[in-house]
Amino acid sequence: MAAQYSNRQFFRKTPNLYLSKFFEAKGIQLDVNINRLKEHDADVFQAALNKLPLEQITKIETELRNINALACEGGIIALVDEANAHKEPRFY
């Protein structure tokens, strides 16, 4: 049985640097200074996310759910298999 998804749980488990890079890659400015945050400060990221338009929040949450779904043994195996199919270097 799959665990229930929660933004706060995802933010809590993901290092701030990776969260910052995710939002930067999407061109989303959250007005969060990661250099001033404690690591895994989920409430700050959730509050910043809540300030975005609902349509944008929905898209982001969908992507975060997909990332979360791949963050398990089966998901990692699938990612490695896909990388191997594209002849990318192995990271394990």
Side-chain angles (χ1 to χ4, degrees), residues 6-73:
S6 147
N7 286 339
R8 279 192 167 85
Q9 189 72 357
F10 184 88
F11 293 150
R12 205 171 286 121
K13 289 181 177 181
T14 307
N16 292 351
L17 177 63
Y18 295 132
L19 292 171
S20 176
K21 286 182 178 285
F22 170 81
F23 287 108
E24 181 182 316
K26 299 292 175 191
I28 299 168
Q29 181 60 267
L30 289 182
D31 295 326
V32 172
N33 183 345
I34 65 161
N35 297 321
R36 294 185 168 201
L37 290 180
K38 290 193 298 185
E39 193 63 42
H40 309 289
D41 194 346
D43 292 333
V44 171
F45 280 102
Q46 186 63 52
L49 181 67
N50 290 342
K51 293 178 183 176
L52 298 175
L54 182 59
E55 182 177 306
Q56 195 171 24
I57 293 171
T58 302
K59 286 181 182 179
I60 291 167
E61 286 181 341
T62 299
E63 286 194 57
L64 295 179
R65 284 176 188 272
N66 290 337
I67 293 167
N68 189 66
L70 290 172
C72 65
E73 187 176 350

